[in-house]
């Protein structure tokens, strides 16, 4: 890496770290959960690009409720809240269809009971010689026929509603397909932070899950410098190489996601702390061995570096705690770990404010 590129990378890292720290500090002060959509909301509020969002967030006061935060994200049409809006609309539509079908079934049951009573009434009238001489039997027959027509119409309507509900269920698969772009990084094709959050939730909240789980959050140093010095196309080529390398570096049952501009996360199951460190070091060495060709320079290439933070899930761990621990370990690793890889510890957690201070950036 050239000195100029290294200087640009250093400045970019400092700026990026300052932004991340500011968002992290604000979320910590307000006790906001470390959800992907919350990161975006706080970032947009702090950026000043949406003044009304800033005012709305401030109006919620200290420790805002998650529901109130979600309403803000939906109100201001933030990208990360698109999936939430779609889920709400889908759930509402399904609930309304189910309620309508239930009401129709109840109505039909009442009509069946009414028709049965009319049938019994007609039989009684027709079997009574005296009553049969009257017009009651004819009136009852007409009433019965009218009720039958009404029931047939309601039955047809119920069938149509049930058919609509079945089509709605069939569309669920298509809807899931349409949501895939929301869970994928468009440059690398890897899952994104939203997908990682969902995977963490599923993995940590599964009943009977006893296998140890490790989360490695890594920062590829030099990517931003490549983009600034040699253009976005060069950085995207590097990202393509990295995504291929990362997929090959873990088991098929494990998970890798791009969670930031130069940040990636690896979720590994059934591994010890030592295994996770070995995996992180192997990935680090592979990244450092990469050579990124520069446009118009046949014999010149840039190199990259990698720092990583590791967290091992503890009993009753939550996705947000797990992610925060790995990110804290990463921040500490970038701040001064000689090996470039650091595992979260309770001691490190106690130094959180110091690590997240402006001086550490």
């Amino acid at each position: 890496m050239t000195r100029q590129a290294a200087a640009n990378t250093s400045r970019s890292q400092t700026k990026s770290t300052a932004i991340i720290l500011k968002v992290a500090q604000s979320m910590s002060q307000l006790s906001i959960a470390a959800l992907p959509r919350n990161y975006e909301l706080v970032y947009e509020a702090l950026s000043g690009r949406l003044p009304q969002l800033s005012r709305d967030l401030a109006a919620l006061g200290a420790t805002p409720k998650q529901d109130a935060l979600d309403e803000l994200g939906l109100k201001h049409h933030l990208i990360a809240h698109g999936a939430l809006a779609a889920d709400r609309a889908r759930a509402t539509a399904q609930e309304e269809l189910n309620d309508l079908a239930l009401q129709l079934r109840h109505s039909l049951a009442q009509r069946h009971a009414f028709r049965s009573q009319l049938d019994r009434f007609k039989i009684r009238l027709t079997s009574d010689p005296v009553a049969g001489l009257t017009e009651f039997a004819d009136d009852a027959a007409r009433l019965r026929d009218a009720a039958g027509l009404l029931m047939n119409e309601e039955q047809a309507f119920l069938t149509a509603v049930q058919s609509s509900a079945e089509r709605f269920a069939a569309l669920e698969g298509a809807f899931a397909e349409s949501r895939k772009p929301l869970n994928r990084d468009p440059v690398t094709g890897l899952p994104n932070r939203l997908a990682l959050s969902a995977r963490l939730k599923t993995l940590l909240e599964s009943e009977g899950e006893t296998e140890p789980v490790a989360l490695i959050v890594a920062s590829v140093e030099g990517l931003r410098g490549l983009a600034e010095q040699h253009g976005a196309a060069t950085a995207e080529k590097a990202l393509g190489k990295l995504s291929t390398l990362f997929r090959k570096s873990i088991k098929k049952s494990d998970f890798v996601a791009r969670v930031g501009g130069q940040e990636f996360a690896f979720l590994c199951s059934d591994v010890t702390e030592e295994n996770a460190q070995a995996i992180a070091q192997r990935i680090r060495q592979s990244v450092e061995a990469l050579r990124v060709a520069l446009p118009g320079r046949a014999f010149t290439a840039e190199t990259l570096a990698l720092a990583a933070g590791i967290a091992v899930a503890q009993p009753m761990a939550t996705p947000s705690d797990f992610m925060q621990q790995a990110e804290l370990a990463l921040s500490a690793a970038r701040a001064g770990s000689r090996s470039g890889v650091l595992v979260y510890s309770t001691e490190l957690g106690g130094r959180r404010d110091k690590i997240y201070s402006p001086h550490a950036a």
Side-chain angles (χ1 to χ4, degrees), residues 280-354:
Q281 287 291 359
R282 186 174 66 248
I283 294 172
R284 179 171 179 258
Q285 291 167 6
S286 298
V287 168
E288 292 177 348
L290 276 180
R291 295 295 180 267
V292 182
L294 301 179
R297 301 184 187 182
F299 304 102
T300 305
E302 288 282 6
T303 58
L304 301 168
L306 182 139
I310 301 171
V312 178
Q314 303 299 319
M316 304 303 289
T318 66
S320 59
D321 289 341
F322 199 23
M323 192 70 183
Q324 284 180 347
Q325 290 173 1
E327 289 180 330
L328 181 62
L330 171 60
S331 295
R334 295 181 71 188
S337 172
R338 292 183 179 180
S339 67
V341 175
L342 200 61
V343 178
Y344 175 82
S345 64
T346 53
E347 180 185 358
L348 190 61
R351 295 164 49 204
R352 174 175 178 168
D353 293 337
K354 182 177 180 180

Side-chain angles (χ1 to χ4, degrees), residues 31-343:
S31 298
I32 295 176
L35 301 176
R37 61 182 184 272
N38 289 344
Y39 278 107
E40 182 195 22
L41 188 148
V42 175
Y43 173 79
E44 292 294 347
L46 293 177
S47 70
R49 291 184 295 183
L50 299 174
Q52 187 57 50
L53 173 60
S54 302
R55 291 191 287 270
D56 290 344
L57 180 59
L60 295 181
T63 63
K65 300 294 185 183
Q66 186 60 50
D67 287 346
L69 294 171
D70 288 341
E71 291 304 322
L72 279 189
L74 293 170
K75 174 183 175 182
H76 292 278
H77 308 291
L78 299 183
I79 293 175
H81 288 71
L84 180 63
D87 284 342
R88 287 189 177 185
R90 180 190 61 179
T92 300
Q94 183 69 65
E95 185 177 349
E96 289 179 355
L97 278 174
N98 291 339
D99 287 345
L100 181 58
L102 181 63
Q103 291 173 10
L104 283 172
R105 283 194 291 271
H106 179 66
S107 177
L108 275 175
Q110 291 181 321
R111 296 296 189 277
H112 278 297
F114 177 52
R115 183 172 181 174
S116 297
Q117 290 178 346
L118 287 176
D119 285 339
R120 289 194 296 270
F121 181 52
K122 180 184 178 183
I123 291 171
R124 185 168 58 84
L125 286 176
T126 54
S127 63
D128 189 335
V130 177
L133 297 175
T134 69
E135 297 179 353
F136 287 116
D138 293 336
D139 289 341
R142 285 192 292 270
L143 184 60
R144 175 183 176 279
D145 291 341
L149 288 174
L150 178 62
M151 289 175 59
N152 289 339
E153 291 179 357
E154 289 197 355
Q155 182 64 58
F157 184 43
L158 175 61
T159 300
V161 171
Q162 289 176 331
S163 177
S164 296
E166 290 172 0
R167 289 197 301 271
F168 187 87
L171 286 172
E172 193 75 13
F175 180 80
E177 285 294 320
S178 69
R179 284 192 58 188
K180 281 186 177 180
L182 296 175
N183 295 291
R184 291 280 168 182
D185 172 57
V187 178
T188 63
L190 293 174
N192 59 14
R193 182 179 279 268
L194 188 64
L196 173 66
S197 179
R199 186 66 170 258
L200 281 173
K201 181 178 177 64
T202 299
L203 192 62
L204 295 180
E205 296 181 2
S206 297
E207 291 187 9
E209 181 62 49
T210 58
E211 292 183 350
V213 178
L215 176 63
I216 304 169
V217 178
S219 174
V220 179
E221 313 295 342
L223 272 178
R224 288 194 178 93
L226 272 180
E228 293 172 359
Q229 190 74 12
H230 304 288
T234 302
E236 288 186 6
K237 287 182 180 179
L239 282 167
K241 288 187 174 184
L242 287 168
S243 62
T244 300
L245 185 154
F246 291 157
R247 286 190 181 98
K248 294 179 178 179
S249 299
I250 58 175
K251 297 179 296 185
K252 288 185 178 180
S253 58
D254 291 337
F255 188 81
V256 57
R258 186 185 181 197
V259 296
Q262 63 181 30
E263 289 80 30
F264 296 82
F266 303 84
L267 190 58
C268 305
S269 57
D270 195 20
V271 294
T272 64
E273 181 179 305
E274 291 74 18
N275 294 150
Q277 285 181 287
I279 293 170
Q281 287 291 359
R282 186 174 66 248
I283 294 172
R284 179 171 179 258
Q285 291 167 6
S286 298
V287 168
E288 292 177 348
L290 276 180
R291 295 295 180 267
V292 182
L294 301 179
R297 301 184 187 182
F299 304 102
T300 305
E302 288 282 6
T303 58
L304 301 168
L306 182 139
I310 301 171
V312 178
Q314 303 299 319
M316 304 303 289
T318 66
S320 59
D321 289 341
F322 199 23
M323 192 70 183
Q324 284 180 347
Q325 290 173 1
E327 289 180 330
L328 181 62
L330 171 60
S331 295
R334 295 181 71 188
S337 172
R338 292 183 179 180
S339 67
V341 175
L342 200 61
V343 178

